[in-house]
Amino acid sequence: MSLRIVVTVKYVPDATGDRHFADDLTVDRDDVDGLLSELDEYAVEQALQISENSDDDVEITVLTVGPEDAKDALRKALSMGADKAIHVEDDDLHGTDVIGTSLVLAKAIEKAGYDLVISGLASTDGTMGVVPALLAERLGVPQVTLLSEVSVEDGTVKGRRDGDAASEQLEASLPAVVSVTDQSGEARYPSFKGIMAAKKKPVQSWDLSDLDLEAGEVGLEGAWTAVDSATQRPARTAGTIVKDEGEGGKQLAEFLAGQKFI
Amino acid sequence: MAEVLVYVDHVDGAVRKPTLELLTLARRIGEPVAVALGAGAESTAAALAEHGATRVLTHDAAEYADYLVVPKVDALQAAVAAVSPAAVLVPSSAEGKEIAARLALRIGSGIITDAVDLEAGDEGPVATQSVFAASFSTKSRVSKGTPVITVKPNSAAVEAAPAAGAVEALAVTFSAQATGTKVTGRTPRESTGRPELTEAAIVVSGGRGVNGAENFGLIEALADSLGAAVGASRAAVDAGWYPHTNQVGQTGKSVSPQLYIANGISGAIQHRAGMQTSKTIVAVNKDAEAPIFDLVDYGVVGDLFDVVPQLTEEVKTRKG
C-alpha cells in the first residue's frame, strides 16, 4: 500500500513587518518579507507524523500557489522532511481570490494525485479559513477539518474537532481533505541535515496551461469579489498610563466607572 | 423588497446572539428570511420573529448532527433555490465560514468572510473588513452571483423589530457528499456560566504574567465581578494554564468587545490580531515598555497580583 499526501502551504507577508496594499488593492508583497505561513507548519508536521506512524509507503508533496519567492515556503517544508514540491506560478494569477485559489489548488492536487490533502486552519494573512472546505467541495471528497488530533489507518482518517459548543470525533474514508489547528502538535525545526537534503529534492513548476486553466478564470479579472477601498486605521490616540503606587486598581476602577462599565 | 437569507446558529432551539445581530444587518439590505436546521429548529421562530425575520424556513433530520457541515450546505442551497435571495448572511464561526464557502462555490457566487459591518450599496451589499491585525479597514463586495457574507460577532447591536416570522417547512434533498464525514462522538463543552468569549461585551484576559494555572483564579474573579468572559494569550494556553478554547489571537478567537482588559499580556502582533478591534482597551502589566500599552485607552504599569485583586474588590463595592 502507498499513501500520497499533498500538503497545501502558503507564502505570506511577515506579520511582524509593515503590511499594506498595492495600488490595485492587492497585498503589496514588495515591501515586506515573506515566509511559510506559520499555521501551515502544523500541516507539514502532521503529514510527517502520519508518515512516521504508517507501515505504508508514504509520499509527501508540498504544494503552493504564489510568486517566485514562494519557493522559500516550499524549501522550508522540504527541509522539515517533505519529499517533493510543486510550485504553481503564473503572472496571470496576480489578484486571485479565494474561490480562484481553491480552483488552482484543486486542479494541481488532481494532477499530482492524492489520497489525503492536509492544510493549515487558515493562512496568517487572509485568515479566511475556508480553503480546506472549498477543496473538499471541488474534489468531491469528505472534509475532516479543524482537527486538533489526527490519525490515518486502513484507508480511514479520524480526528478530533474542538468547536465552540462541543468537541467532536470525526471519521471519513480516504481520499479526504484534512485541516489541522495549532493544537495538533508543535512543528519541528528543520535540522541541518534536513536543510542540506532539501536542496536536492525536486521542485516542479506548473503554470496555468499545465492545469488546463485560462487566465480569465483566475487573477483579478476572474475574481468573484472586489475590494473597493483599503484605509489605514488611524493610530490610536495615546491613552492614559499610570504607574501603580498602591492605588492602581482603584484608579482603573475609576476609569471604568467613568466609561460606564461599572 | 428583496429577501435576504440569514443562517441561524442555535443550540437546541436557543438562538445565539450573533444570529440576532445578523438580522439587524440583514434589514439594511432587505427582508430577513431565516433558515433554521436540526433539532429545535422550529422553536427558534419566536426569537427570530421578534428580531425581524419575516419567514423562518425550518428542517430537521438526523443528518445535521450525524455528519459534518455538508448536510447544512445542502439545506442552505435548497433555501437559496426556493427564495432567490439578494444575499446570504452567515455568522462567522469556524463552521459558519465552512458552510458559507461551500454554498458560495455551489451557487457560483463570491464570498466575503469576517465582515465587521454591512451596508446597502449600488452594486449590492458592501462589507467592511478589518485586516492585517486591524491596521487596515477594507470595503468589499461580491461581484459575481448572490453575495455570501459571513459576519463577525459584535458587528451590530441586537435590535427588536417584530415581524411575522411565519414558520415554513423547507424541502431538502441531501447530496451524495452529505454523509461523507461521520460524527462518531460529541462531548458538549461544559458551561462555565460565563458569557461566550466571542460574544461577550467585556473580556478579561490573562497572559504570561499570570504565571501559572493556579493564578488564573484572579482573572476569573475579575471577569465575574464584571460579568465578563475570560480570555488567554497563546503563551498562557501553550503553558497549559488555560484551555485553548479561550485563546484570543491570530490562531485562537478573534474578539471585538466593548471592553478588553489585558492582564500580564505583552501584546505580541499575534495577540493584537485577535483583540485590536475592541472598543475600549485596558492593560495591566509590570513592563512599562510592553507593546500592549501602545493600544490602550487606559494602562496601569504595575504588578497584576496587586492591581487585579484591588480592581475586583473596587468593582464589587461599586456594584454593591
Side-chain angles (χ1 to χ4, degrees):
Chain A
M1 287 284 286
S2 72
L3 182 71
R4 297 163 299 168
I5 303 177
V6 176
V7 183
T8 59
V9 301
K10 189 173 183 186
Y11 180 74
V12 298
D14 187 344
T16 59
D18 183 16
R19 297 178 292 180
H20 53 269
F21 289 87
D23 291 343
D24 65 356
L25 298 180
T26 62
V27 177
D28 188 339
R29 286 175 175 274
D30 292 338
D31 283 355
V32 56
D33 290 338
L35 75 176
L36 171 62
S37 178
E38 185 210 333
L39 293 170
D40 294 341
E41 292 183 13
Y42 295 93
V44 176
E45 177 63 34
Q46 288 309 309
L48 294 169
Q49 289 197 17
I50 288 167
S51 173
E52 286 158 7
N53 294 333
S54 176
D55 299 329
D56 295 340
D57 186 15
V58 180
E59 181 188 59
I60 301 170
T61 303
V62 282
L63 165 67
T64 199
V65 178
E68 167 70 23
D69 293 348
K71 281 199 175 62
D72 290 355
L74 295 175
R75 285 286 168 212
K76 172 84 184 277
L78 290 172
S79 63
M80 288 172 71
D83 299 305
K84 63 193 184 79
I86 298 168
H87 182 194
V88 182
E89 185 189 6
D90 198 306
D91 288 346
D92 289 324
L93 284 165
H94 176 77
T96 303
D97 69 355
V98 73
I99 295 279
T101 300
S102 71
L103 173 65
V104 178
L105 285 170
K107 288 272 191 184
I109 289 164
E110 280 175 330
K111 186 178 165 83
Y114 73 101
D115 301 297
L116 183 62
V117 176
I118 307 183
S119 305
L121 74 102
S123 67
T124 55
D125 56 349
T127 66
M128 292 180 76
V130 298
V131 165
L134 289 170
L135 288 177
E137 180 72 31
R138 287 197 182 273
L139 296 167
V141 302
Q143 75 166 74
V144 197
T145 46
L146 299 170
L147 302 182
S148 46
E149 276 173 16
V150 59
S151 65
V152 176
E153 208 173 329
D154 300 329
T156 300
V157 54
K158 294 183 184 178
R160 191 181 87 231
R161 171 172 165 120
D162 295 322
D164 284 347
S167 195
E168 294 168 325
Q169 297 291 334
L170 304 180
E171 191 176 312
S173 299
L174 298 183
V177 174
V178 160
S179 73
V180 298
T181 73
D182 60 332
Q183 297 298 300
S184 59
E186 202 61 41
R188 68 194 64 188
Y189 287 106
S191 62
F192 178 72
K193 200 174 144 203
I195 292 166
M196 295 314 287
K199 297 184 177 180
K200 298 197 184 98
K201 290 177 179 173
V203 179
Q204 273 184 289
S205 279
W206 291 346
D207 61 15
L208 288 179
S209 64
D210 290 318
L211 301 176
D212 295 322
L213 288 169
E214 304 282 339
E217 292 179 81
V218 295
L220 264 183
E221 194 193 331
W224 295 4
T225 47
V227 181
D228 290 330
S229 70
T231 319
Q232 189 148 21
R233 275 166 63 108
R236 277 181 176 264
T237 45
T240 307
I241 297 183
V242 300
K243 191 168 182 333
D244 178 36
E245 281 162 351
E247 299 285 303
K250 287 183 181 163
Q251 287 167 286
L252 185 43
E254 188 62 37
F255 170 79
L256 295 178
Q259 301 284 315
K260 308 252 187 293
F261 288 116
I262 308 176
Chain B
M1 200 175 184
E3 294 185 309
V4 176
L5 278 189
V6 173
Y7 177 80
V8 178
D9 187 5
H10 70 97
V11 180
D12 294 327
V15 180
R16 297 177 70 175
K17 186 164 148 267
T19 301
L20 302 179
E21 296 167 7
L22 275 194
L23 290 170
T24 300
L25 293 173
R27 290 203 309 279
R28 296 183 190 167
I29 48 180
E31 287 184 351
V33 175
V35 181
L37 306 171
E42 286 193 23
S43 40
T44 62
L48 298 169
E50 194 187 325
H51 294 90
T54 57
R55 300 155 68 193
V56 181
L57 311 183
T58 64
H59 187 249
D60 187 17
E63 278 83 350
Y64 297 119
D66 294 349
Y67 300 94
L68 193 70
V69 172
V70 187
K72 293 169 182 167
V73 181
D74 290 341
L76 210 45
Q77 187 179 13
V80 168
V83 173
S84 300
V88 181
L89 306 184
V90 181
S92 257
S93 62
E95 185 189 48
K97 291 202 280 188
E98 292 183 333
I99 293 169
R102 296 188 72 140
L103 174 77
L105 185 55
R106 282 193 192 177
I107 63 175
S109 297
I111 178 171
I112 291 172
T113 59
D114 294 325
V116 294
D117 199 6
L118 205 58
E119 60 203 312
D122 295 340
E123 300 168 87
V126 176
T128 304
Q129 289 164 291
S130 178
V131 301
F132 293 161
S135 60
F136 277 84
S137 176
T138 61
K139 288 193 186 290
S140 305
R141 64 198 152 75
V142 170
S143 52
K144 182 166 184 284
T146 305
V148 177
I149 301 171
T150 77
V151 180
K152 282 175 72 164
N154 288 328
S155 294
V158 173
E159 292 170 7
V167 177
E168 299 168 37
L170 178 68
V172 179
T173 308
F174 291 117
S175 64
Q177 278 77 39
T179 54
T181 309
K182 272 189 228 140
V183 179
T184 56
R186 180 177 284 117
T187 314
R189 194 160 305 296
E190 251 176 67
S191 171
T192 58
R194 297 190 182 95
E196 175 68 26
L197 182 57
T198 53
E199 301 170 13
I202 303 179
V203 174
V204 177
S205 280
R208 200 185 297 275
V210 176
N211 201 25
E214 66 282 7
N215 300 329
F216 255 87
L218 285 182
I219 304 298
E220 291 180 329
L222 174 57
D224 292 343
S225 74
L226 291 162
V230 176
S233 72
R234 181 159 173 189
V237 168
D238 283 352
W241 302 341
Y242 221 68
H244 177 247
T245 42
N246 296 71
Q247 185 183 322
V248 172
Q250 184 157 46
T251 62
K253 298 222 165 80
S254 168
V255 299
S256 197
Q258 296 297 320
L259 171 65
Y260 188 84
I261 307 181
N263 301 287
I265 293 177
S266 67
I269 183 82
Q270 288 80 2
H271 188 75
R272 281 152 54 180
M275 48 65 76
Q276 204 158 355
T277 53
S278 303
K279 310 297 180 290
T280 298
I281 298 175
V282 168
V284 178
N285 201 309
K286 270 199 292 202
D287 177 9
E289 303 298 317
I292 192 86
F293 285 122
D294 295 339
L295 300 181
V296 299
D297 298 285
Y298 197 94
V300 180
V301 179
D303 190 335
L304 71 90
F305 292 96
D306 297 328
V307 177
V308 170
Q310 189 180 64
L311 173 59
T312 306
E313 278 314 305
E314 191 67 19
V315 172
K316 282 188 192 161
T317 308
R318 284 173 186 253
K319 282 194 165 179

